[in-house]
Amino acid sequence: MRPSPTRRTVLTATAASAAALGAAPSPAEAATPGRRPPVTAQPPNRELRALLRELDSARIEATIRKLVSFGTRHTLSAQDDPDRGIGAARDWLLAELRSCAAASGGRMTAELQSYVQEPASRIPTATKITNVLATLRGSVTPERVYVVSGHYDSRVTDVMNATSDAPGADDDASGVAVVLELARVMAKRRPAATIVFAAVAGEEQGLYGSTYLAQQLKAAGTDVQGMFTNDIVGSSTADDGTKDPYTIRLFAEGVPSSETPEQAAIRKSVGGENDSPARQLARFVRDVADNDATGMHIRVVYRRDRYLRGGDHIPFLERGYPAARFTEPAEDFAHQHQDVRVDETGKQYGDLPEFCDFDFVERVARVNAAALWTLAQAPGTPRGAKIVTSALTNSTQLVWTRGTEPDLAGYEIVWRETTAPEWTHVIPAGDVTTYEVDLSKDNVFFGVRAVGRAGNRSPVAFPAPQS
């Protein structure tokens, strides 16, 4: 076991770090509050920057307008009309993803994932629900999987109205456009881990498509180590006309939706409400995507989702998968879930493409790309992370299971005060599976992250007590 620096060394470093954190911000930092990178930040490398430059707002716009052209994409709309309805949208999406796969050299496959949903909430008759999926198989650790999604169904004011025009440009052609653009750019590359690009259906009726996708992955024992849904990512303009074109919200739950009574008892005893896998995933996104390469600020929101709303990440959370939701910074509800109309004051309602900001959507795609590509290229999140609690000591011993990735270089210990939202200190541990830090486990929170030979870091694993 490699010993840590002495407690005196660590505390001296803490004081120096606190002084640095209290220093006057740079002009750029002052102009954009919250942009100072955390100590765990990972600057984008040349490979990632090249990938981000290929994302194209014109293609994103074309995708959104094409999806709108199907008139309605309501889950209960026509499935056999070649021009209108959810079936036409489904077939077009499959053709687009197959086109992406054709450039992959056999690494990407595209398919329809269908099932029949029996009558249920907002589903009055048995209805086929179909997800459109593309899977880019990892070249090194294909068993490790990351998922990115948007939902291609749409609605108007009456959630059961399957015939009126429901453009769904922002909600959620924008999210599907992000997924398609990521698939196009990444298909030509070789990620180490597997990435699934999903356009899911049935979201507006009750998360049906994403629930089926999550169920299938869970039943197959798939090791999903991260999932993002992009839902309402098309506009940077709020209902009062104010714009925030360089911010994206990322919703991340605290107490896990899948938490067992035993896990709850441990959390109540030692803390960790702010250290769920979803929160670690959100911190990772800030680490790799809040920078000049994306041009975006990641506003992490410590909630599972907005009030009265829900998204396609929730079925993944309920099955124990780390997942989070991207949503635009401030919504305009006149352009969501609304009949297309002009009221007596001349105000236009409806989710129309003219209310989308396609350059903004491209930047959202950059954020997703930075997160997914770094996740796929880095080692997986450490497993079996524990804090040894067999004795009362003023130091902390951490243990974990070594990963099997061939490019694994070692591990780092991270820690912070229990009142701090971000990790504030990083300690290189080397290629070991146990490490002792000369700080009391009673006073701070610890985590462990893996490091690859190319310098990519994994999300942090929050350790549980081990007696």
Side-chain angles (χ1 to χ4, degrees):
M1 180 178 66
R2 179 181 174 183
S4 74
T6 67
R7 188 175 306 137
R8 182 181 298 277
T9 302
V10 172
L11 293 178
T12 300
T14 303
S17 177
L21 288 172
S26 70
E29 291 163 347
T32 313
R35 284 299 293 270
R36 178 170 294 196
V39 299
T40 47
Q42 302 186 54
N45 59 24
R46 183 179 302 175
E47 174 190 54
L48 178 55
R49 287 182 181 273
L51 185 157
L52 298 181
R53 284 195 295 269
E54 292 184 30
L55 297 167
D56 186 348
S57 63
R59 287 179 176 271
I60 286 170
E61 178 179 359
T63 295
I64 292 173
R65 292 190 182 277
K66 182 63 177 180
L67 289 169
V68 169
S69 76
F70 295 114
T72 179
R73 306 187 305 278
H74 193 284
T75 299
L76 305 178
S77 64
Q79 300 210 17
D80 55 2
D81 186 317
D83 301 312
R84 181 179 176 87
I86 195 165
R90 171 202 64 211
D91 294 345
W92 180 80
L93 287 167
L94 179 61
E96 289 296 297
L97 288 174
R98 282 179 171 167
S99 177
C100 295
S104 72
R107 295 183 301 278
M108 178 182 281
T109 57
E111 63 180 330
L112 299 179
Q113 181 190 65
S114 300
Y115 81 104
V116 175
Q117 175 61 52
E118 296 300 326
S121 176
R122 297 183 175 181
I123 304 287
T125 60
T127 301
K128 181 189 284 187
I129 293 178
T130 303
N131 300 323
V132 190
L133 309 178
T135 302
L136 180 59
R137 182 174 173 82
S139 60
V140 180
T141 53
E143 67 280 1
R144 181 162 53 97
V145 175
Y146 301 94
V147 179
V148 60
S149 80
H151 71 86
Y152 71 99
D153 59 310
S154 63
R155 60 167 286 189
V156 290
T157 305
D158 178 1
V159 71
M160 301 305 293
N161 181 344
T163 58
S164 295
D165 281 351
D170 192 2
D171 185 14
D172 184 37
S174 65
V176 175
V178 167
V179 172
L180 259 63
E181 187 64 0
L182 294 176
R184 181 186 70 84
V185 169
M186 292 186 180
K188 299 173 287 185
R189 291 173 163 82
R190 294 178 178 272
T194 295
I195 303 174
V196 176
F197 306 88
V200 300
E203 192 272 349
E204 301 290 8
Q205 304 307 107
L207 311 181
Y208 286 102
S210 58
T211 297
Y212 186 73
L213 173 58
Q215 284 174 342
Q216 295 301 107
L217 290 167
K218 193 69 175 178
T222 307
D223 181 21
V224 178
Q225 294 199 10
M227 183 272 180
F228 301 108
T229 189
N230 289 268
D231 196 351
I232 311 177
V233 295
S235 174
S236 58
T237 305
D239 53 1
D240 63 356
T242 58
K243 295 180 181 291
D244 189 0
Y246 301 104
T247 298
I248 187 69
R249 286 185 293 173
L250 182 60
F251 285 83
E253 73 173 13
V255 176
S257 295
S258 61
E259 186 177 71
T260 66
E262 293 76 16
Q263 291 167 336
I266 294 171
R267 175 180 52 78
K268 292 172 184 177
S269 173
V270 303
E273 295 83 357
N274 197 20
D275 284 281
S276 65
R279 293 276 165 89
Q280 306 301 350
L281 188 63
R283 291 186 179 108
F284 177 90
V285 174
R286 281 201 61 194
D287 283 350
V288 302
D290 193 318
N291 52 47
D292 69 301
T294 67
M296 292 291 272
H297 169 55
I298 318 301
R299 181 177 183 178
V300 177
V301 181
Y302 286 164
R303 286 195 171 100
R304 186 169 75 167
D305 212 318
R306 298 102 72 231
Y307 281 102
L308 305 177
R309 310 294 284 275
D312 289 315
H313 60 308
I314 293 175
F316 285 80
L317 291 168
E318 291 172 339
R319 287 157 183 80
Y321 291 135
R325 174 190 180 131
F326 287 111
T327 294
E328 62 199 27
E331 301 167 72
D332 186 341
F333 301 105
H335 306 306
Q336 298 174 23
H337 298 187
Q338 293 284 341
D339 293 337
V340 179
R341 67 193 191 279
V342 178
D343 71 9
E344 63 278 2
T345 69
K347 181 178 177 63
Q348 176 72 62
Y349 285 81
D351 192 355
L352 298 162
E354 53 259 43
F355 298 108
C356 287
D357 176 347
F358 305 112
D359 290 335
F360 174 79
V361 184
E362 182 198 309
R363 289 192 293 276
V364 175
R366 289 184 207 165
V367 169
N368 278 262
L372 283 165
W373 190 254
T374 309
L375 283 167
Q377 297 299 77
T381 305
R383 298 186 184 278
K386 304 284 185 182
I387 284 183
V388 177
T389 58
S390 55
L392 295 174
T393 68
N394 280 317
S395 62
T396 301
Q397 184 180 348
L398 296 150
V399 298
W400 57 91
T401 302
R402 191 183 189 281
T404 58
E405 297 89 349
D407 64 339
L408 178 64
Y411 295 88
E412 292 174 339
I413 307 301
V414 297
W415 64 274
R416 69 181 199 272
E417 295 290 336
T418 61
T419 53
E422 305 288 342
W423 300 111
T424 55
H425 296 77
V426 178
I427 303 171
D431 191 1
V432 296
T433 57
T434 183
Y435 196 88
E436 185 173 322
V437 183
D438 197 13
L439 282 175
S440 172
K441 53 189 167 291
D442 297 326
N443 297 339
V444 300
F445 284 139
F446 289 97
V448 182
R449 67 177 182 174
V451 183
R453 289 191 188 127
N456 293 313
R457 269 77 171 170
S458 75
V460 169
F462 186 70
Q466 174 181 282
S467 59

